[in-house]
Amino acid sequence: MRLTPRFLLSAAAPLAALPGRAVAEGMPQLHFKDPLLQGQVVWGAIIFIVFYLLLSRSALPKVADVIKAREVRVRNDLDVARRARKDADQAQKELCEAREKAMEEARATIQGIRDTAKEKIRVQAEETAARLEAEIKKAEAQIALSRSNALGSINEIASSTATVLTERLVGTADQRAIAAAVEHAHAARS
């Protein structure tokens, strides 16, 4: 707080009201008609004014400069802190954006891997199905061939079996009659 003449007058006003009461109550040090007291007051005022001028011209500007320098330093520190916070907020925002982008890329990569794996599985399944279909057709052809061979020789096998059994049971067998009977039985069954 700076000492101004207005402040000094406002502080001295209550003291000015004291002399009348002080004289009445017996306080000679406040009797302003006494020349000794008047000299003390005048010299006190001169010393106070000189002291005030010395302080206001030398010490108080230095204190004011220190206070201003402190204010500037605090203001600069606050500006640096605000900028650092702004930079940190920006860095955090960029980090979140980078994380989101990386997550999206990871999802896309995973989905691509899944799609590739599904496609490979589908292709392998089709290849396996085609291979199995070819093997089934080949096996069916072999079965059909074996069946036709078996059916082609079934009459001969049945005839020879019937001939052997008839020979064992009867002693003699007519191969032509047995072959004709087997042919007739086979034709009736087909």
Side-chain angles (χ1 to χ4, degrees):
M1 174 166 80
R2 190 168 178 189
L3 297 177
T4 61
R6 177 183 250 170
F7 173 74
L8 294 175
L9 288 176
S10 67
L15 295 176
L18 289 176
R21 281 184 27 210
V23 172
E25 295 176 10
M27 293 185 70
Q29 67 269 26
L30 295 178
H31 183 26
F32 285 108
K33 292 189 181 181
D34 184 11
L36 182 61
L37 183 61
Q38 288 176 357
Q40 287 178 348
V41 169
V42 169
W43 279 108
I46 291 171
I47 291 172
F48 179 77
I49 289 171
V50 169
F51 185 65
Y52 174 76
L53 290 174
L54 285 175
L55 285 178
S56 67
R57 302 283 185 244
S58 64
L60 291 178
K62 291 178 183 177
V63 171
D65 290 342
V66 169
I67 290 173
K68 284 180 184 177
R70 183 172 182 256
E71 284 179 13
V72 168
R73 187 177 40 204
V74 167
R75 193 177 313 120
N76 289 341
D77 289 347
L78 286 175
D79 289 343
V80 168
R82 283 187 196 107
R83 274 187 256 124
R85 181 176 180 186
K86 184 179 176 183
D87 292 344
D89 289 344
Q90 182 66 26
Q92 182 181 10
K93 181 181 175 184
E94 290 172 359
L95 179 65
C96 288
E97 290 173 356
R99 191 176 108 205
E100 288 295 322
K101 184 178 177 184
M103 288 176 65
E104 286 298 322
E105 289 176 357
R107 285 187 195 119
T109 302
I110 290 171
Q111 188 60 39
I113 291 170
R114 284 182 185 162
D115 293 344
T116 303
K118 284 180 183 178
E119 183 63 23
K120 284 182 180 179
I121 290 170
R122 186 188 62 78
V123 167
Q124 285 178 348
E126 287 177 358
E127 289 174 355
T128 303
R131 184 176 46 83
L132 289 176
E133 187 68 30
E135 288 178 10
I136 288 172
K137 285 182 182 179
K138 184 179 176 184
E140 285 177 349
Q142 287 177 349
I143 290 171
L145 180 63
S146 297
R147 183 174 181 217
S148 71
N149 287 341
L151 288 177
S153 61
I154 196 161
N155 289 340
E156 184 180 320
I157 294 170
S159 295
S160 69
T161 305
T163 303
V164 170
L165 288 175
T166 306
E167 283 177 359
R168 283 191 186 172
L169 289 173
V170 177
T172 62
D174 183 12
Q175 287 185 356
R176 284 190 198 134
I178 292 174
V182 167
E183 271 303 313
H184 179 40
H186 181 67
R189 197 156 186 218
S190 299

